[in-house]
Amino acid sequence: MAKNLAKDAGKDAVKELGWWKAHRFLISRRLCQLAIIGLFMVGPTWGILEGNLSSSMLFGVIPLSDPLLVMQTLATGHWPEVNALIGVAIVVVFYALIAPRAFCAWVCPLNMVTDLAAWVRRKLNLKASYKWSPKLRYWLIPVILLGSAVSGSLLWAWIDPVASLHRGLVFGMGAGWILILLVFLLDLVLVEHGWCGHLCPLGATYGVIGRKSLIRIKATHREACTKCMDCYNVCPEPDVLRQPLKEGDRRVMSQDCMSCGRCIDVCAEKVLEFTASSKQDHT
């Protein structure tokens, strides 16, 4: 099969599998992201999820804390409250077990903005103006921590577009829309997958946390691959698919994978699937 155009990614899957199977993980992620935002909105009334993505309380008894924010707090020389430490431990254990960067694809509200930018880019056949190293986001973590230590403040909290969008959606958006628009334009016209794939230090943090997580995307039926490139065209981190689709371990073991499932959605040949298998598979 010849390579498909980026703008046509998923059309074969819709034809072969039906509309729902070709979008099931995309729709499931959107429902999950919107449900979490909704729970925060009704938090004060229902008491299910109160606070924000940086610090929240589930059912009024289970604390949840942003790992990057807690690291910044420690870098400033301040010791977080006990609830914050318990909360970050719960979050780290959960995301260390479930799947690499599951927060990015299933919880983060900014993912809806970056996915929209990627969709528009494909439909308009826009080419990236610049190329950045994906390692940049990992270097930003120590830079942020050093900046917090020197300034004595939570440096990233002032410019974090993820927190800004979440606060805006739950409590009302002010000038934060400018920051969100800049992220959208970055991904649309400057760097392909610029935010999630190159800059976001929070995504990098969850990548490190989930590098040994259990649930992985696996090229179970890679012999059926026709090299149509649909999975590459929709994947926010396409480099993670190269090795599993060629030889060796069929699982996507890269910590950069976002576990979004879009590669599974758009594959008409059903080459890929989520698996909880922990054994290396060379067959």
Side-chain angles (χ1 to χ4, degrees):
M1 180 183 287
K3 293 180 181 179
N4 291 337
L5 297 175
K7 67 183 181 67
D8 294 329
K11 285 188 176 181
D12 289 342
V14 172
K15 187 184 303 182
E16 295 294 326
L17 308 175
W19 189 89
W20 165 248
K21 283 193 174 181
H23 295 87
R24 63 194 187 280
F25 288 114
L26 175 62
I27 300 302
S28 298
R29 288 193 297 116
R30 291 294 174 263
L31 291 174
C32 184
Q33 290 161 336
L34 293 172
I36 290 172
I37 293 170
L39 287 175
F40 275 114
M41 286 180 172
V42 300
T45 303
W46 292 7
I48 298 177
L49 189 59
E50 300 181 71
N52 53 54
L53 287 179
S54 298
S55 179
S56 58
M57 192 68 72
L58 182 63
F59 301 122
V61 293
I62 303 174
L64 302 170
S65 305
D66 175 357
L68 185 57
L69 186 69
V70 171
M71 287 194 294
Q72 289 178 82
T73 303
L74 290 170
T76 64
H78 296 88
W79 191 253
E81 295 181 357
V82 173
N83 265 356
L85 294 175
I86 296 174
V88 78
I90 292 172
V91 168
V92 167
V93 170
F94 177 77
Y95 285 106
L97 291 175
I98 186 169
R101 292 182 65 189
F103 173 88
C104 300
W106 294 82
V107 178
C108 179
L110 197 60
N111 172 253
M112 294 185 282
V113 176
T114 57
D115 273 4
L116 176 61
W119 181 83
V120 174
R121 173 189 282 276
R122 289 196 302 272
K123 295 304 179 184
L124 298 181
N125 194 31
L126 297 178
K127 303 300 181 183
S129 300
Y130 301 97
K131 284 190 176 294
W132 292 345
S133 169
K135 296 184 184 299
L136 182 58
R137 53 190 159 184
Y138 294 102
W139 285 106
L140 278 177
I141 297 175
V143 169
I144 290 169
L145 296 180
L146 180 61
S148 295
V150 172
S151 66
S153 64
L154 303 177
L155 188 64
W156 186 246
W158 293 96
I159 53 175
D160 181 7
V162 176
S164 294
L165 179 57
H166 182 262
R167 285 194 301 266
L169 292 172
V170 176
F171 304 109
M173 184 70 76
W177 281 115
I178 298 174
L179 187 58
I180 307 309
L181 179 61
L182 289 175
V183 170
F184 178 80
L185 293 176
L186 167 70
D187 275 32
L188 181 64
V189 299
L190 292 182
V191 183
E192 190 171 3
H193 308 301
W195 178 255
C196 294
H198 298 82
L199 281 182
C200 182
L202 183 58
T205 302
Y206 278 107
V208 174
I209 291 171
R211 62 192 303 268
K212 298 294 185 181
S213 49
L214 300 177
I215 300 175
R216 298 280 170 171
I217 288 174
K218 181 179 178 182
T220 306
H221 307 291
R222 71 178 171 203
E223 294 81 7
C225 179
T226 61
K227 298 180 174 60
C228 69
M229 299 299 288
D230 278 3
C231 58
Y232 283 85
N233 287 329
V234 300
C235 180
E237 303 272 358
D239 284 344
V240 308
L241 293 171
R242 297 186 187 280
Q243 178 268 319
L245 288 174
K246 291 183 178 179
E247 59 184 19
D249 195 345
R250 295 172 183 249
R251 298 170 300 162
V252 177
M253 296 306 296
S254 171
Q255 67 188 39
D256 293 335
C257 176
M258 288 177 59
S259 305
C260 66
R262 279 301 285 152
C263 58
I264 302 174
D265 280 347
V266 302
C267 183
E269 288 73 31
K270 298 189 284 189
V271 171
L272 301 149
E273 65 177 356
F274 276 115
T275 176
S277 172
S278 60
K279 293 182 179 181
Q280 191 173 25
D281 186 354
H282 293 283
T283 59

